[in-house]
mmCIF file of all heavy atoms in Angstrom:
data_model
loop_
_atom_site.group_PDB
_atom_site.id
_atom_site.type_symbol
_atom_site.label_atom_id
_atom_site.label_comp_id
_atom_site.label_asym_id
_atom_site.label_seq_id
_atom_site.Cartn_x
_atom_site.Cartn_y
_atom_site.Cartn_z
ATOM 1 N N SER A 1 -19.441 -21.528 -33.242
ATOM 2 C CA SER A 1 -19.402 -21.885 -31.819
ATOM 3 C C SER A 1 -18.943 -20.697 -30.981
ATOM 4 O O SER A 1 -19.406 -20.500 -29.856
ATOM 5 C CB SER A 1 -18.482 -23.087 -31.595
ATOM 6 O OG SER A 1 -17.140 -22.792 -31.950
ATOM 7 N N GLY A 2 -18.039 -19.873 -31.523
ATOM 8 C CA GLY A 2 -17.624 -18.669 -30.815
ATOM 9 C C GLY A 2 -18.767 -17.686 -30.649
ATOM 10 O O GLY A 2 -18.882 -17.019 -29.610
ATOM 11 N N THR A 3 -19.631 -17.582 -31.662
ATOM 12 C CA THR A 3 -20.806 -16.717 -31.549
ATOM 13 C C THR A 3 -21.737 -17.206 -30.444
ATOM 14 O O THR A 3 -22.265 -16.419 -29.649
ATOM 15 C CB THR A 3 -21.552 -16.670 -32.889
ATOM 16 O OG1 THR A 3 -20.670 -16.179 -33.910
ATOM 17 C CG2 THR A 3 -22.773 -15.760 -32.812
ATOM 18 N N LEU A 4 -21.944 -18.528 -30.390
ATOM 19 C CA LEU A 4 -22.784 -19.098 -29.333
ATOM 20 C C LEU A 4 -22.183 -18.834 -27.952
ATOM 21 O O LEU A 4 -22.897 -18.397 -27.029
ATOM 22 C CB LEU A 4 -22.943 -20.597 -29.561
ATOM 23 C CG LEU A 4 -23.644 -21.391 -28.455
ATOM 24 C CD1 LEU A 4 -25.065 -20.876 -28.235
ATOM 25 C CD2 LEU A 4 -23.646 -22.871 -28.786
ATOM 26 N N LEU A 5 -20.890 -19.094 -27.795
ATOM 27 C CA LEU A 5 -20.255 -18.887 -26.497
ATOM 28 C C LEU A 5 -20.222 -17.410 -26.117
ATOM 29 O O LEU A 5 -20.271 -17.069 -24.933
ATOM 30 C CB LEU A 5 -18.837 -19.454 -26.515
ATOM 31 C CG LEU A 5 -18.752 -20.980 -26.548
ATOM 32 C CD1 LEU A 5 -17.318 -21.433 -26.763
ATOM 33 C CD2 LEU A 5 -19.299 -21.577 -25.257
ATOM 34 N N SER A 6 -20.159 -16.541 -27.123
ATOM 35 C CA SER A 6 -20.185 -15.112 -26.847
ATOM 36 C C SER A 6 -21.527 -14.685 -26.265
ATOM 37 O O SER A 6 -21.604 -13.724 -25.500
ATOM 38 C CB SER A 6 -19.892 -14.333 -28.134
ATOM 39 O OG SER A 6 -19.697 -12.963 -27.866
ATOM 40 N N LEU A 7 -22.575 -15.410 -26.623
ATOM 41 C CA LEU A 7 -23.893 -15.152 -26.037
ATOM 42 C C LEU A 7 -24.004 -15.731 -24.629
ATOM 43 O O LEU A 7 -24.623 -15.132 -23.748
ATOM 44 C CB LEU A 7 -24.982 -15.768 -26.918
ATOM 45 C CG LEU A 7 -25.548 -14.926 -28.052
ATOM 46 C CD1 LEU A 7 -26.439 -15.789 -28.930
ATOM 47 C CD2 LEU A 7 -26.327 -13.741 -27.509
ATOM 48 N N LEU A 8 -23.425 -16.895 -24.439
ATOM 49 C CA LEU A 8 -23.569 -17.588 -23.162
ATOM 50 C C LEU A 8 -22.662 -17.016 -22.079
ATOM 51 O O LEU A 8 -22.989 -17.124 -20.891
ATOM 52 C CB LEU A 8 -23.260 -19.079 -23.348
ATOM 53 C CG LEU A 8 -24.201 -19.856 -24.269
ATOM 54 C CD1 LEU A 8 -23.700 -21.278 -24.454
ATOM 55 C CD2 LEU A 8 -25.625 -19.861 -23.711
ATOM 56 N N CYS A 9 -21.534 -16.429 -22.469
ATOM 57 C CA CYS A 9 -20.552 -15.931 -21.491
ATOM 58 C C CYS A 9 -20.590 -14.406 -21.456
ATOM 59 O O CYS A 9 -20.647 -13.751 -22.497
ATOM 60 C CB CYS A 9 -19.147 -16.404 -21.859
ATOM 61 S SG CYS A 9 -18.976 -18.195 -21.975
ATOM 62 N N LYS A 10 -20.529 -13.852 -20.291
ATOM 63 C CA LYS A 10 -20.570 -12.404 -20.140
ATOM 64 C C LYS A 10 -19.246 -11.750 -20.501
ATOM 65 O O LYS A 10 -19.220 -10.597 -20.915
ATOM 66 C CB LYS A 10 -20.957 -12.051 -18.702
ATOM 67 C CG LYS A 10 -22.381 -12.446 -18.332
ATOM 68 C CD LYS A 10 -22.726 -12.007 -16.925
ATOM 69 C CE LYS A 10 -24.166 -12.377 -16.582
ATOM 70 N NZ LYS A 10 -24.539 -11.954 -15.202
ATOM 71 N N LYS A 11 -18.149 -12.477 -20.326
ATOM 72 C CA LYS A 11 -16.825 -11.927 -20.592
ATOM 73 C C LYS A 11 -16.216 -12.562 -21.840
ATOM 74 O O LYS A 11 -16.327 -13.772 -22.046
ATOM 75 C CB LYS A 11 -15.893 -12.153 -19.400
ATOM 76 C CG LYS A 11 -16.327 -11.447 -18.118
ATOM 77 C CD LYS A 11 -16.207 -9.935 -18.266
ATOM 78 C CE LYS A 11 -16.510 -9.232 -16.939
ATOM 79 N NZ LYS A 11 -16.402 -7.764 -17.067
ATOM 80 N N SER A 12 -15.544 -11.749 -22.643
ATOM 81 C CA SER A 12 -14.909 -12.262 -23.862
ATOM 82 C C SER A 12 -13.844 -13.298 -23.547
ATOM 83 O O SER A 12 -13.687 -14.283 -24.274
ATOM 84 C CB SER A 12 -14.285 -11.101 -24.651
ATOM 85 O OG SER A 12 -15.257 -10.181 -25.058
ATOM 86 N N VAL A 13 -13.089 -13.091 -22.478
ATOM 87 C CA VAL A 13 -12.010 -14.020 -22.153
ATOM 88 C C VAL A 13 -12.562 -15.397 -21.805
ATOM 89 O O VAL A 13 -11.957 -16.426 -22.151
ATOM 90 C CB VAL A 13 -11.145 -13.454 -20.997
ATOM 91 C CG1 VAL A 13 -11.953 -13.327 -19.702
ATOM 92 C CG2 VAL A 13 -9.908 -14.301 -20.785
ATOM 93 N N THR A 14 -13.731 -15.431 -21.148
ATOM 94 C CA THR A 14 -14.342 -16.722 -20.826
ATOM 95 C C THR A 14 -14.804 -17.434 -22.087
ATOM 96 O O THR A 14 -14.604 -18.641 -22.244
ATOM 97 C CB THR A 14 -15.535 -16.517 -19.873
ATOM 98 O OG1 THR A 14 -15.117 -15.759 -18.740
ATOM 99 C CG2 THR A 14 -16.099 -17.850 -19.414
ATOM 100 N N ALA A 15 -15.428 -16.673 -22.994
ATOM 101 C CA ALA A 15 -15.876 -17.263 -24.257
ATOM 102 C C ALA A 15 -14.698 -17.763 -25.079
ATOM 103 O O ALA A 15 -14.760 -18.831 -25.699
ATOM 104 C CB ALA A 15 -16.682 -16.228 -25.045
ATOM 105 N N THR A 16 -13.600 -17.001 -25.082
ATOM 106 C CA THR A 16 -12.408 -17.413 -25.824
ATOM 107 C C THR A 16 -11.832 -18.701 -25.263
ATOM 108 O O THR A 16 -11.468 -19.618 -26.008
ATOM 109 C CB THR A 16 -11.350 -16.305 -25.776
ATOM 110 O OG1 THR A 16 -11.874 -15.122 -26.387
ATOM 111 C CG2 THR A 16 -10.085 -16.730 -26.514
ATOM 112 N N ALA A 17 -11.741 -18.783 -23.943
ATOM 113 C CA ALA A 17 -11.226 -19.997 -23.311
ATOM 114 C C ALA A 17 -12.099 -21.197 -23.646
ATOM 115 O O ALA A 17 -11.598 -22.297 -23.915
ATOM 116 C CB ALA A 17 -11.135 -19.803 -21.802
ATOM 117 N N GLY A 18 -13.418 -21.008 -23.647
ATOM 118 C CA GLY A 18 -14.322 -22.100 -23.986
ATOM 119 C C GLY A 18 -14.165 -22.561 -25.424
ATOM 120 O O GLY A 18 -14.150 -23.769 -25.713
ATOM 121 N N ASN A 19 -14.026 -21.605 -26.352
ATOM 122 C CA ASN A 19 -13.876 -21.971 -27.762
ATOM 123 C C ASN A 19 -12.528 -22.631 -28.021
ATOM 124 O O ASN A 19 -12.423 -23.576 -28.818
ATOM 125 C CB ASN A 19 -14.027 -20.726 -28.641
ATOM 126 C CG ASN A 19 -14.725 -21.032 -29.950
ATOM 127 O OD1 ASN A 19 -15.522 -21.963 -30.048
ATOM 128 N ND2 ASN A 19 -14.450 -20.240 -30.965
ATOM 129 N N MET A 20 -11.485 -22.151 -27.360
ATOM 130 C CA MET A 20 -10.184 -22.811 -27.481
ATOM 131 C C MET A 20 -10.260 -24.227 -26.916
ATOM 132 O O MET A 20 -9.651 -25.150 -27.456
ATOM 133 C CB MET A 20 -9.125 -22.000 -26.731
ATOM 134 C CG MET A 20 -8.816 -20.661 -27.357
ATOM 135 S SD MET A 20 -7.829 -20.782 -28.858
ATOM 136 C CE MET A 20 -6.243 -21.222 -28.162
ATOM 137 N N GLY A 21 -11.021 -24.378 -25.836
ATOM 138 C CA GLY A 21 -11.191 -25.710 -25.261
ATOM 139 C C GLY A 21 -11.877 -26.660 -26.223
ATOM 140 O O GLY A 21 -11.516 -27.848 -26.303
ATOM 141 N N ILE A 22 -12.877 -26.166 -26.966
ATOM 142 C CA ILE A 22 -13.545 -27.002 -27.968
ATOM 143 C C ILE A 22 -12.547 -27.465 -29.021
ATOM 144 O O ILE A 22 -12.507 -28.644 -29.398
ATOM 145 C CB ILE A 22 -14.707 -26.223 -28.619
ATOM 146 C CG1 ILE A 22 -15.840 -26.023 -27.609
ATOM 147 C CG2 ILE A 22 -15.230 -26.958 -29.859
ATOM 148 C CD1 ILE A 22 -16.971 -25.154 -28.127
ATOM 149 N N ALA A 23 -11.732 -26.528 -29.526
ATOM 150 C CA ALA A 23 -10.742 -26.879 -30.555
ATOM 151 C C ALA A 23 -9.737 -27.902 -30.029
ATOM 152 O O ALA A 23 -9.417 -28.885 -30.713
ATOM 153 C CB ALA A 23 -10.031 -25.613 -31.032
ATOM 154 N N LEU A 24 -9.229 -27.683 -28.827
ATOM 155 C CA LEU A 24 -8.244 -28.613 -28.258
ATOM 156 C C LEU A 24 -8.857 -29.981 -27.999
ATOM 157 O O LEU A 24 -8.218 -31.015 -28.229
ATOM 158 C CB LEU A 24 -7.679 -28.035 -26.963
ATOM 159 C CG LEU A 24 -6.754 -26.819 -27.111
ATOM 160 C CD1 LEU A 24 -6.398 -26.253 -25.752
ATOM 161 C CD2 LEU A 24 -5.499 -27.187 -27.883
#
């Protein structure tokens, strides 16, 4: 899921926040 979000988000911090949100 982090790989997918890394493609969808231009910034690493945005992708990280999204993946953390999935886990939470």
Side-chain angles (χ1 to χ4, degrees):
S1 63
T3 301
L4 172 60
L5 289 172
S6 189
L7 272 171
L8 296 175
C9 302
K10 293 183 179 180
K11 297 292 186 180
S12 298
V13 64
T14 307
T16 299
N19 216 27
M20 292 286 287
I22 290 175
L24 290 173

